[in-house]
């Protein structure tokens, strides 16, 4: 029997073949990040001594598969950096992994239990293995062989979940795949320091790299609150680096800390301005965050500044954004007709010189403006094509539903308004339960702002 890896367009497919009959056997495993650009394995897979298990490193996850069916035996073993090597214990159901962050972890394959790192060094770890008896862990560090007793101190999966729940403030999915091995600086690093007190003085660069990786792992799982303490460590080390300031602002908003997010977006925009770079998008994010935080004074003053600065702009996108910011609030922070002039200019420019992807957003903004000016019938007529459109993205469709519901209520069509609002409410509820991509807070927050207004104004028939 042989396991064969076939490169696909964006992934790799593993299959099993019988060497005697040259037939493909049942079993298939597909994953991304397994091959290099030259279609060679990034990290070789390993089989257990009895041949029953296959250890497959894929980025920062170790997949443990049944070698006869390629089905997962346990949940993915998730690390805080890329895995460079895995090796099975000669007799016990254990596997050791060597990672890019210069650490070694030992895992129990029966219950996916993590044992604390036996090695955590500043030196480069070239390879790791068990000795033949299985009571020692061998590691080559910068050409020197280190031999250490295999001292197993388990951290149960339930404990990982409990810790992460405290950090993230939310429950895990039933399969446990959201649980993470990421409490490095609070437990893993302390354990390594106890083992080698003279060899564990992390530099500022190391601290930054480790915290960035920890934050990235939590962000990938939509665990915003858990990512924040680690990203704040990065921020303290690089407070004026544009990418870091922007990342912190985004994390604050993802975690619902909008006032802090608005402040950081404003600071990011100021840093861009000092470099003579355009900062309109960052001001747009900041104004949305101020409104979400309930700070109407900052929201109104920032809207006015943006209008004064860009009132002569010939960019349909900028005009649409400023107008939409003004229409989000029940009380328009500027003269509503000035905002309508902006969106009408954006509509005319969009007809003359279309911007890819902008047309539906301009149409939504126009419908929002018609509602704010009390033209409820025209607003409903403008918004319905977006609601009925098969290609309209979900969040835009539900923004349109929300304003259409308020316009229908203004026309006295309460039954239709309530039906429209119910659909938007269901979408918001589903979005809050499901993990979302980094940065999606913006559209979801704007939807939540207008939904709160709609719930107060749309009457039950």
């Amino acid at each position: 029997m042989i396991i064969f890896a076939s490169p696909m367009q964006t992934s790799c497919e593993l299959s099993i073949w019988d060497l005697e009959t040259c037939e493909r056997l049942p079993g298939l495993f597909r994953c991304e990040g397994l091959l290099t650009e030259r279609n060679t394995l990034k990290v070789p897979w390993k089989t257990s001594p009895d041949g029953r298990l296959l250890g497959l490193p894929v980025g920062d996850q170790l997949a443990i598969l049944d070698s006869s069916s390629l089905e997962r035996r346990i949940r993915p073993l998730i690390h805080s950096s890329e895995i460079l090597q895995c090796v099975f214990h000669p007799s016990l159901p254990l596997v050791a992994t060597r990672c890019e962050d210069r650490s070694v972890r030992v895992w129990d394959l029966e219950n996916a239990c993590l044992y604390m790192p036996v090695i955590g060094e500043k030196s480069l770890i070239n390879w790791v293995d068990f000795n033949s008896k299985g009571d020692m862990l061998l590691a080559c560090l910068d050409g020197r062989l280190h031999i250490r007793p295999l001292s197993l101190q388990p951290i149960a999966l339930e404990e990982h979940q409990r810790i992460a729940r405290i950090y993230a403030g939310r429950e895990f999915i039933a399969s446990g795949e959201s649980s993470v091995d990421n409490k490095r600086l609070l437990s893993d690093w302390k354990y390594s320091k106890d083992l080698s007190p003279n060899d564990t003085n992390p530099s500022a660069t190391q601290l930054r790299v480790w915290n960035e990786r920890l934050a990235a792992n939590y962000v990938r799982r939509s665990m915003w609150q858990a990512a924040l303490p680690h990203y704040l460590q990065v921020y303290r080390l690089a407070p004026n680096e544009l990418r870091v300031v922007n990342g912190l602002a985004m994390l604050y908003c993802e975690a619902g800390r909008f006032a802090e997010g608005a402040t950081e977006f404003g600071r990011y925009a100021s840093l861009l301005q000092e470099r003579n770079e355009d900062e309109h998008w960052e001001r747009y994010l900041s104004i949305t965050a101020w409104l979400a935080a309930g700070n109407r004074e900052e929201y109104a003053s920032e809207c006015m500044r943006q209008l004064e600065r860009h009132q002569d702009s010939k960019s349909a996108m900028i005009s649409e954004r400023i107008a939409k910011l003004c229409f989000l609030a029940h009380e328009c922070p500027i003269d509503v007709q000035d905002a309508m002039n902006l969106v009408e200019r954006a509509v005319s420019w969009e007809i003359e010189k279309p911007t890819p992807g902008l047309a539906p957003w301009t149409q939504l903004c126009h419908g929002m403006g018609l509602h704010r000016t009390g033209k409820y019938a025209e607003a409903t007529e403008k918004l319905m094509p977006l609601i009925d459109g098969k290609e309209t993205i979900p969040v835009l469709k539900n923004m349109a539903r929300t304003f259409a519901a308020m316009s229908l209520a203004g026309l006295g069509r309460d039954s239709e308004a309530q039906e429209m609002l119910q659909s938007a409410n269901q979408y918001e509820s589903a979005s809050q339960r499901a993990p979302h991509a980094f940065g999606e807070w913006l559209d979801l927050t704007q939807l939540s702002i207008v939904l709160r207004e709609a719930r107060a104004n749309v009457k039950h028939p």
Side-chain angles (χ1 to χ4, degrees), residues 155-164 183:
I155 308 174
L157 174 61
E158 290 75 16
E159 177 67 1
H160 274 292
Q161 293 177 333
R162 186 189 71 80
I163 292 169
K183 210 188 171 200

Side-chain angles (χ1 to χ4, degrees), residues 76-231:
L77 304 179
I78 302 173
H79 298 63
S80 56
S81 66
E82 187 169 352
I83 303 169
L84 303 178
Q85 180 192 359
C86 71
V87 58
F88 285 92
H89 192 278
S91 57
L92 298 176
L94 302 174
V95 65
T97 53
R98 174 172 64 93
C99 299
E100 193 180 47
D101 62 1
R102 300 182 176 182
S103 68
V104 174
R105 289 165 170 78
V106 180
W107 302 81
D108 188 323
L109 295 176
E110 291 185 341
N111 56 17
C113 179
L114 169 71
Y115 294 98
M116 280 189 167
V118 180
I119 297 174
E121 299 281 352
K122 289 197 298 182
S123 303
L124 178 66
I125 303 175
N126 304 104
W127 60 261
V128 67
D129 203 351
F130 297 101
N131 67 339
S132 58
K133 290 184 179 180
D135 59 348
M136 297 284 181
L137 191 67
L138 314 178
C140 180
L141 281 69
D142 284 340
R144 295 175 289 114
L145 180 64
H146 282 227
I147 303 175
R148 297 193 179 181
L150 186 61
S151 175
L152 302 178
Q153 299 189 28
I155 308 174
L157 174 61
E158 290 75 16
E159 177 67 1
H160 274 292
Q161 293 177 333
R162 186 189 71 80
I163 292 169
R165 273 198 294 270
I166 291 172
Y167 272 90
R170 68 187 187 88
E171 294 293 323
F172 283 89
I173 58 176
S175 68
E177 289 190 14
S178 292
S179 51
V180 291
D181 164 32
N182 272 348
K183 210 188 171 200
R184 283 186 54 82
L185 297 181
L186 297 178
S187 60
D188 292 20
W189 184 255
K190 180 179 180 299
Y191 183 74
S192 299
K193 189 173 182 180
D194 292 341
L195 287 176
S196 309
N198 298 322
D199 296 333
T200 53
N201 233 350
S203 65
T205 301
Q206 285 175 311
L207 287 172
R208 174 173 176 172
V209 169
W210 288 333
N211 278 289
E212 281 185 328
R213 286 173 177 166
L214 289 167
N217 274 337
Y218 282 123
V219 164
R220 191 174 60 191
R221 295 164 181 82
S222 302
M223 297 168 64
W224 320 117
Q225 294 285 5
L228 262 172
H230 299 294
Y231 210 84

Side-chain angles (χ1 to χ4, degrees), residues 27 35-36 144 169 193 201 213 216 271 315 413 426 439 454:
L35 300 180
T36 66
R144 295 175 289 114
K193 189 173 182 180
N201 233 350
R213 286 173 177 166
L271 289 171
S315 167
R413 295 157 61 178
Q426 289 172 349

Side-chain angles (χ1 to χ4, degrees), residues 197-439:
N198 298 322
D199 296 333
T200 53
N201 233 350
S203 65
T205 301
Q206 285 175 311
L207 287 172
R208 174 173 176 172
V209 169
W210 288 333
N211 278 289
E212 281 185 328
R213 286 173 177 166
L214 289 167
N217 274 337
Y218 282 123
V219 164
R220 191 174 60 191
R221 295 164 181 82
S222 302
M223 297 168 64
W224 320 117
Q225 294 285 5
L228 262 172
H230 299 294
Y231 210 84
L232 281 167
Q233 292 280 352
V234 178
Y235 180 79
R236 292 185 187 106
L237 293 168
N240 294 315
E241 190 172 314
L242 289 176
R243 182 178 63 86
V244 173
V245 178
N246 180 58
L248 181 62
M250 294 285 274
L251 265 180
Y252 273 136
C253 290
E254 291 287 10
R257 295 166 61 170
F258 294 110
E260 292 155 297
T263 300
E264 292 302 326
F265 275 128
R267 185 165 172 269
Y268 182 40
S270 297
L271 289 171
L272 287 173
Q273 208 167 6
E274 289 173 7
R275 292 164 169 78
N276 294 318
E277 297 181 31
D278 180 66
E279 86 293 358
H280 168 72
W281 172 248
E282 287 67 32
R283 300 291 183 192
Y284 177 70
L285 298 174
S286 177
I287 293 169
T288 299
W290 281 127
L291 180 59
N295 192 326
R296 292 300 181 100
E297 185 177 344
E298 283 289 343
Y299 162 71
S301 62
E302 285 294 324
C303 281
M304 184 62 70
R305 287 193 197 100
Q306 289 300 297
L307 176 65
E308 292 172 354
R309 181 175 179 184
H310 296 286
Q311 60 184 348
D312 297 326
S313 171
K314 294 188 177 179
S315 167
M317 186 175 292
I318 290 178
S319 296
E320 180 270 338
R321 285 175 181 167
I322 296 174
K324 183 164 63 177
L325 285 172
C326 298
F327 296 145
L328 283 175
H330 174 61
E331 296 180 0
C332 188
I334 64 174
D335 187 283
V336 69
Q337 193 54 52
D338 289 341
M340 276 300 293
N341 291 340
L342 276 178
V343 72
E344 286 169 357
R345 275 165 35 194
V347 170
S348 63
W349 289 329
E350 183 62 20
I351 294 172
E352 294 176 13
K353 190 177 180 180
T355 302
L358 184 61
W361 293 100
T362 305
Q363 185 175 346
L364 169 67
C365 187
H366 198 185
M368 293 166 65
L370 289 169
H371 170 79
R372 293 303 186 200
T373 55
K375 299 176 181 179
Y376 300 135
E378 292 179 49
T380 304
E381 184 180 354
K382 178 66 66 174
L383 294 168
M384 286 308 295
L386 294 173
I387 296 169
D388 296 333
K390 293 182 179 180
E391 296 183 1
T392 307
I393 64 173
V395 69
L396 192 154
K397 185 188 291 281
N398 285 282
M399 281 283 286
R401 280 177 175 150
T402 305
F403 272 91
M406 291 191 287
S407 288
L408 288 167
L411 294 170
R413 295 157 61 178
D414 293 336
S415 296
E416 296 171 78
Q418 188 61 38
E419 183 180 351
M420 197 74 72
L421 180 60
Q422 185 177 2
S423 297
N425 281 330
Q426 289 172 349
Y427 173 79
E428 183 196 35
S429 179
S431 299
Q432 290 174 343
R433 292 194 303 270
H436 63 262
F438 192 52

